[in-house]
Amino acid sequence: MQAPRDFWHFDKDISGCGVFGVIDRARRLIPGSEPIAAMCTMHDRGNGLGGGFAAYGIYPDRADWYAFHLMCDDRDALERAEGVIKQFHDIRHSEPIPTRKVASVKNPPVVWRYFVTPKSNRPAWATGDEADYMVGTVMHINTRVPGVFVFSSGKDMGAFKGVGFPEDIADFFRLDEYHAHMWTGHNRFPTNTPGWWGGAHPFTLLDWAIVHNGEISSYGINKRYLCQHGYECTLMTDTEVVAYLIDLLIRKHGLTKREASWVFAPPFWDEVDRMPEAEREAFKALRMVYGPALLNGPFAILVTDSNGMMGLNDRVKLRPLVVAEKGDRVFMSSEESSIREVCRDLDRVWAPKAGQPVIIDYLPQGGAA
Amino acid sequence: MHVKPISQHFNDFVIERERARCINCEVCVRQCSYEAHFWDEARQFVVHDSARCVGCHRCAAMCPTSCLTIRKKPSDFRDNSLWTSTYIKHIFKQADTGGVLLSGMGNPQPKPIYWDNMLLDASQVTNPSIDPLREPMELRTFLGAKPDAVDFIHTPEGPRLKQPLPPQLQLEYPIMFAAMSFGAINFNLHVAMARAATQLGICYNTGEGGLHPDLYQYGANTIVQVASGRFGVHKDYLNAGAAVEIKVGQGAKPGIGGHLPGEKIDEEVSRTRMVPQGSDAISPAPHHDIYSIEDLLQLIYAIKESTRYRVPVAVKIAAVHNAPAIASGIVRAGADIVVIDGFRGGTGAAPTMIRDNVGIPIELALASVDNRLRDEGIRNHASLVVAGGVRCSADVVKAIALGADAVYIGTAALVAVGCTLCGRCYTGKCPWGIATNAAQLKKRQNPDVAAQRMANLVRAWGHEIQEMLGGMGLNSIESLRGNRDKLRGVGLNEVELNVLGIKHAGL
């Protein structure tokens, strides 16, 4: 894809943050109150300019349909977006996302959700698979339809985010009324952009959701690399590149989560040089081919999808990340205190090493809990 | 009074000798290959003729009593912003001889130097800067074609490659020694470059002069060049290096060939180049088997065939107006590495008019070539190396941030061994023992000392690059490559900023 004109004028936002994630490997439901309480303890990691949550397993009755969450400047923008969605998809269900008025959440956008399936008689030019088609729709709306932003597009999952502290955003979206088998939460401390609802975390694409604490100093090349592969970065924040890179590396190029983590935080050359030959060649190739996708700079990220959660630090661990286990529950957080807040008695607590991914998958369905 | 041609009255430099300190040791006499210093038999002391001075400063550097100072000759012509002394002297010379003006080294004209109008970023607060003395800081660079995606077989022992990647050149620093032929510079410096490159884990380029049999042992760190004259090219030569470079053009003289004067062709040069001793070695302007891009493709694949696809093939062009389109064609013709040589690039000899007026700045060419290859989705298919006017490690960092994979340094490597850019390389009389094959001059370069100095230079730059990278919060060079967010322009207009693809400082 050709780079947009003046691609170098896109700004990225810099922010410090707090992240929290919890997964029940046996898919038992966790009430929204739990991640909300955890995020509350990390109140000081944000400054009220962004908070958000992602929840998996919240739409069991509509699990076969893609859930589009939209934020729109006004009703006209929503109208325009609906026109586009209708053009490419069958709308199975449509409703406003339930909210309540919260004093601290000022001027919220119009938020709406559509449950859709791609049209069976897709246009002849739509050659990719269904996922490509969905990504195409999201990209089209986000870049070409003014005043509208799709902030969630997966199946049986949803992102909820906005400008405010995470507890305020949770209150606004009534997240205490949801139950999910996996949650992530994010508290944001942006330092250079006015709060924008779309700029809050998590960032999502299909059923991928990313929450991120850190600054991606390699953003300038990551975004150009993504552009070559047809992803246009428009959200003015560095976390966006993680979502798109995950989609490119895992969905399109068929890497595993672990291999993708080696792209994001590769082992140092002196370690690679000591590997047995076949392994060394594989790691060299990853680095040579995906060097522009390396995420350089401090980060702790939680990547979730319908298979589970991955936590990852940068290759020199410049951001905190703590992991804890209790039975089938696994917690990942910027601070141990937030985990202890919701689960005092833990089986195991550890801080993963720099660049070492922690990959937690759901137990096979129907298997032992 | 002896009669001199008019041009020699207006010499560029004046030699000042502090008589009180001169001990008449005649070191200057022996050092000056232009015979500017000589022994006056009648008066029994050393005298000089400033008209012969080229401003190389060898005598001043070697004088044991430091009694010599070389200054620019102060006899200025009447101020005239159009008819500067440069043009007046050019005309005097040409009226004397009827010849083409010759120059050595790169374009010295006061044209924009974009390196100086770009500033780098550093981390403050939101991301920590990284200290390379305490943390790993990786500069390792691979040159060659990369596939768009890695094809793995997932085994219990971990991922394994389905098929090996195309051949790559592994460099421990993103810096290589540029093509300077054996002949243009002498054997001692070729030994030095080869040893320095081997020590550093980088490569040096043979240039068009072939490869001396004694240097085959450094093949793993050698790029062998194939240029329009095909001097010294044979099957063993092609297979001796770690990469082959097809030289189409040179930044100092785009569009024209080369001319190594017979004076520089001694027995060794003659043997290595496969040309008769003492006869001029003239490289044609074009390759006579490349009249279009499809011919280049054939040559690239002929070389790949004859090297059995073991080594990457580079194609070097001068930075000219249409460089992005040409580079795109080169990548599509199968080159693994594209080399762009800017208008500041050095040379042993070039017509002055061409050196000073043909080609474009490397910074602009690099930015547009990198954009073009990315827009076409073929940036991965070839590495991009730039040359021509890289003076310091900050220039290297800026080049990489604009999109280069690595840089070539030629002039800088020669300065490391004493070159003072007097620009008279084509005379074969280089008093520093660099651009000369004369036995008594070339012995001024000890290969061991020269290798050490060149290696020191690259190591020093390496440390500085690591510091700058760490300051930006990066710990590996590929995160800087093409990362133009790390650059800001100062004093540039909007067109220049748009071509470079960077924001102005303050934005």
Side-chain angles (χ1 to χ4, degrees):
Chain A
M1 182 171 97
Q2 193 162 341
R5 274 187 75 81
D6 304 347
F7 67 86
W8 56 93
H9 280 294
F10 284 122
D11 248 319
K12 74 155 182 180
D13 148 49
I14 301 171
S15 56
C17 303
V19 297
F20 174 83
V22 56
I23 173 173
D24 190 294
R25 300 183 67 205
R27 295 178 197 265
R28 276 184 293 259
L29 294 177
I30 303 162
S33 56
E34 204 168 291
I36 296 169
M39 290 313 297
C40 274
T41 59
M42 297 195 287
H43 178 90
D44 284 356
R45 297 189 75 87
N47 63 359
L49 290 180
F53 296 84
Y56 288 76
I58 51 172
Y59 301 132
D61 301 336
R62 296 173 180 140
D64 294 335
W65 303 337
Y66 292 92
F68 278 8
H69 289 189
L70 270 68
M71 50 176 76
C72 310
D73 290 351
D74 47 38
R75 287 271 164 181
D76 288 347
L78 180 61
E79 199 89 356
R80 284 195 294 273
E82 186 164 319
V84 174
I85 294 175
K86 272 186 183 151
Q87 203 181 332
F88 299 114
H89 302 282
D90 296 320
I91 298 178
R92 304 298 181 143
H93 183 74
S94 152
E95 63 185 15
I97 299 177
T99 57
R100 63 169 78 98
K101 281 199 162 57
V102 176
S104 55
V105 175
K106 309 258 179 352
N107 302 319
V110 178
V111 290
W112 205 272
R113 63 190 170 203
Y114 293 93
F115 293 88
V116 304
T117 49
K119 276 199 171 19
S120 48
N121 55 339
R122 271 183 254 158
W125 46 261
T127 49
D129 61 8
E130 186 175 299
D132 282 330
Y133 189 73
M134 298 309 294
V135 171
T137 312
V138 174
M139 292 280 171
H140 178 76
I141 295 174
N142 287 355
T143 56
R144 308 280 180 261
V145 184
V148 188
F149 179 60
V150 182
F151 63 102
S152 188
S153 52
K155 285 181 181 172
D156 197 15
M157 61 80 69
F160 303 90
K161 64 185 191 177
V163 173
F165 282 104
E167 56 270 28
D168 300 333
I169 295 300
D171 208 10
F172 174 77
F173 281 110
R174 298 162 58 171
L175 293 186
D176 46 317
E177 297 169 11
Y178 290 80
H179 287 75
H181 41 68
M182 178 163 67
W183 286 91
T184 55
H186 188 264
N187 191 5
R188 183 160 179 253
F189 199 133
T191 46
N192 72 344
T193 44
W196 175 54
W197 278 60
H201 296 215
F203 280 89
T204 66
L205 192 64
L206 300 176
D207 62 358
W208 296 108
I210 318 283
V211 290
H212 161 236
N213 167 21
E215 181 188 327
I216 298 174
S217 309
S218 53
Y219 175 76
I221 183 57
N222 299 147
K223 89 178 162 188
R224 293 184 78 200
Y225 178 70
L226 282 166
C227 193
Q228 284 169 252
H229 291 90
Y231 299 83
E232 193 176 329
C233 295
T234 54
L235 304 186
M236 298 187 292
T237 176
D238 47 8
T239 308
E240 186 184 17
V241 301
V242 185
Y244 298 164
L245 284 172
I246 287 269
D247 188 60
L248 175 73
L249 297 177
I250 298 183
R251 187 173 66 82
K252 304 270 256 194
H253 289 185
L255 298 188
T256 63
K257 276 185 187 168
R258 190 170 299 275
E259 287 157 4
S261 80
W262 291 328
V263 170
F264 293 156
F268 285 95
W269 283 121
D270 58 359
E271 193 182 323
V272 174
D273 289 343
R274 291 195 299 268
M275 292 174 180
E277 194 186 345
E279 194 182 351
R280 186 171 68 233
E281 290 309 309
F283 273 88
K284 270 171 78 172
L286 268 183
R287 187 85 182 265
M288 281 189 248
V289 173
Y290 294 116
L294 192 162
L295 298 177
N296 218 318
F299 68 81
I301 50 173
L302 303 184
V303 177
T304 46
D305 72 340
S306 51
N307 297 319
M309 183 184 294
M310 173 170 79
L312 180 68
N313 268 129
D314 61 85
R315 57 210 299 246
V316 283
K317 190 146 179 135
L318 295 172
R319 284 287 190 271
L321 184 65
V322 178
V323 183
E325 276 176 358
K326 173 70 183 175
D328 289 330
R329 296 262 165 109
V330 180
F331 303 87
M332 301 189 191
S333 176
S334 297
E335 295 183 15
E336 188 179 333
S337 62
S338 69
I339 302 174
R340 298 276 181 193
E341 172 70 20
V342 294
C343 183
R344 253 157 230 283
D345 180 27
L346 296 166
D347 299 340
R348 189 158 87 100
V349 184
W350 78 98
K353 287 212 162 70
Q356 298 290 322
V358 180
I359 298 169
I360 307 294
D361 286 338
Y362 288 113
L363 297 170
Q365 255 160 341
Chain B
M1 180 191 146
H2 62 274
V3 179
K4 290 196 285 192
I6 189 165
S7 61
Q8 289 186 24
H9 291 295
F10 304 110
N11 44 294
D12 296 330
F13 295 96
V14 58
I15 302 168
E16 285 179 8
R17 184 185 308 275
E18 232 181 297
R19 270 290 161 210
R21 298 174 76 173
C22 178
I23 54 172
N24 291 304
C25 66
E26 291 185 78
V27 163
C28 51
V29 177
R30 287 188 293 277
Q31 292 294 328
C32 184
S33 48
Y34 293 92
E35 297 169 0
H37 303 272
F38 47 92
W39 180 253
D40 188 326
E41 197 55 47
R43 292 186 282 177
Q44 286 291 304
F45 56 68
V46 175
V47 293
H48 53 258
D49 174 6
S50 291
R52 294 177 180 172
C53 177
V54 300
C56 78
H57 292 259
R58 177 79 185 180
C59 56
M62 294 292 144
C63 175
T65 64
S66 304
C67 77
L68 289 170
T69 308
I70 309 299
R71 290 189 200 287
K72 276 188 266 184
K73 192 173 181 196
S75 68
D76 294 324
F77 297 102
R78 181 179 296 279
D79 284 344
N80 188 320
S81 51
L82 179 67
W83 289 98
T84 59
S85 63
T86 308
Y87 294 102
I88 294 174
K89 289 178 189 176
H90 281 349
I91 289 178
F92 284 154
K93 276 186 205 158
Q94 294 191 290
D96 281 345
T97 65
V100 171
L101 294 164
L102 269 188
S103 290
M105 305 313 291
N107 183 348
Q109 297 287 327
K111 304 266 160 49
I113 301 165
Y114 288 96
W115 305 129
D116 294 337
N117 294 80
M118 289 188 278
L119 295 171
L120 295 165
D121 195 19
S123 309
Q124 300 289 296
V125 182
T126 53
N127 59 343
S129 38
I130 303 170
D131 184 349
L133 295 175
R134 296 178 174 82
E135 308 270 358
M137 190 62 67
E138 300 183 320
L139 303 184
R140 187 178 290 181
T141 295
F142 292 90
L143 302 183
K146 278 86 173 172
D148 290 327
V150 169
D151 219 356
F152 275 151
I153 306 166
H154 304 275
T155 72
E157 291 83 45
R160 295 292 179 261
L161 282 177
K162 263 192 197 146
Q163 57 183 41
L165 255 50
Q168 306 284 327
L169 212 53
Q170 181 176 327
L171 307 174
E172 298 304 321
Y173 297 86
I175 299 169
M176 298 184 289
F177 297 125
M180 295 177 282
S181 70
F182 172 40
I185 60 175
N186 60 60
F187 182 67
N188 287 346
L189 288 173
H190 265 247
V191 176
M193 284 201 296
R195 287 187 192 160
T198 305
Q199 244 189 63
L200 293 163
I202 62 169
C203 283
Y204 86 103
N205 190 311
T206 60
E208 194 186 4
L211 184 65
H212 193 280
D214 292 357
L215 297 179
Y216 273 61
Q217 54 179 308
Y218 303 105
N221 297 83
T222 305
I223 298 172
V224 293
Q225 196 181 64
V226 175
S228 61
R230 297 289 197 272
F231 297 126
V233 176
H234 48 82
K235 191 171 175 229
D236 291 345
Y237 171 77
L238 292 176
N239 280 291
V244 181
E245 178 177 282
I246 300 169
K247 176 199 170 185
V248 173
Q250 186 178 339
K253 41 183 174 180
I256 66 166
H259 182 165
L260 188 70
E263 290 81 356
K264 283 178 113 170
I265 301 189
D266 64 8
E267 195 192 331
E268 290 295 302
V269 174
S270 144
R271 202 148 58 89
T272 310
R273 286 204 178 213
M274 308 191 300
V275 294
Q277 202 172 331
S279 78
D280 292 6
I282 298 177
S283 314
H287 285 247
H288 282 301
D289 53 358
I290 306 177
Y291 282 9
S292 183
I293 190 78
E294 63 271 22
D295 301 336
L296 176 68
L297 181 142
Q298 290 199 0
L299 181 59
I300 290 172
Y301 280 94
I303 289 172
K304 287 190 174 186
E305 287 289 336
S306 58
T307 54
R308 296 176 183 274
Y309 296 86
R310 283 182 307 101
V311 299
V313 173
V315 174
K316 174 181 176 178
I317 57 165
V320 290
H321 302 180
N322 217 8
I326 299 165
S328 160
I330 290 171
V331 176
R332 292 175 192 283
D336 303 298
I337 302 166
V338 180
V339 184
I340 318 272
D341 193 11
F343 82 143
R344 295 275 180 191
T347 177
T352 311
M353 289 301 119
I354 301 223
R355 184 193 68 169
D356 293 357
N357 293 286
V358 182
I360 62 170
I362 189 60
E363 303 92 324
L364 303 180
L366 162 60
S368 19
V369 168
D370 179 61
N371 277 1
R372 178 66 171 261
L373 297 184
R374 285 184 196 277
D375 282 351
E376 294 188 10
I378 53 176
R379 182 63 183 81
N380 246 22
H381 300 181
S383 294
L384 191 51
V385 176
V386 298
V390 175
R391 304 158 297 174
C392 60
S393 57
D395 292 353
V396 179
V397 171
K398 289 169 190 175
I400 291 173
L402 282 177
D405 286 282
V407 304
Y408 268 131
I409 54 167
T411 302
L414 297 187
V415 173
V417 296
C419 169
T420 55
L421 281 92
C422 72
R424 292 296 177 271
C425 327
Y426 53 90
T427 63
K429 291 185 183 175
C430 176
W432 288 94
I434 299 167
T436 175
N437 298 306
Q440 73 280 16
L441 294 176
K442 73 180 178 191
K443 73 177 181 198
R444 293 178 182 181
Q445 290 292 342
N446 173 325
D448 291 327
V449 175
Q452 198 52 54
R453 295 186 66 84
M454 287 176 180
N456 282 348
L457 176 75
V458 173
R459 284 207 186 93
W461 286 16
H463 287 305
E464 290 171 344
I465 293 169
Q466 288 181 326
E467 290 286 352
M468 283 181 262
L469 261 188
M472 288 186 260
L474 303 175
N475 57 12
S476 105
I477 194 88
E478 51 262 67
S479 298
L480 175 69
R481 194 160 286 133
N483 190 345
R484 301 196 189 164
D485 288 14
K486 300 297 179 197
L487 294 170
R488 289 290 188 274
V490 275
L492 295 176
N493 66 38
E494 198 153 348
V495 174
E496 292 167 318
L497 291 167
N498 287 349
V499 175
L500 291 167
I502 60 174
K503 290 188 211 179
H504 201 274
L507 291 175

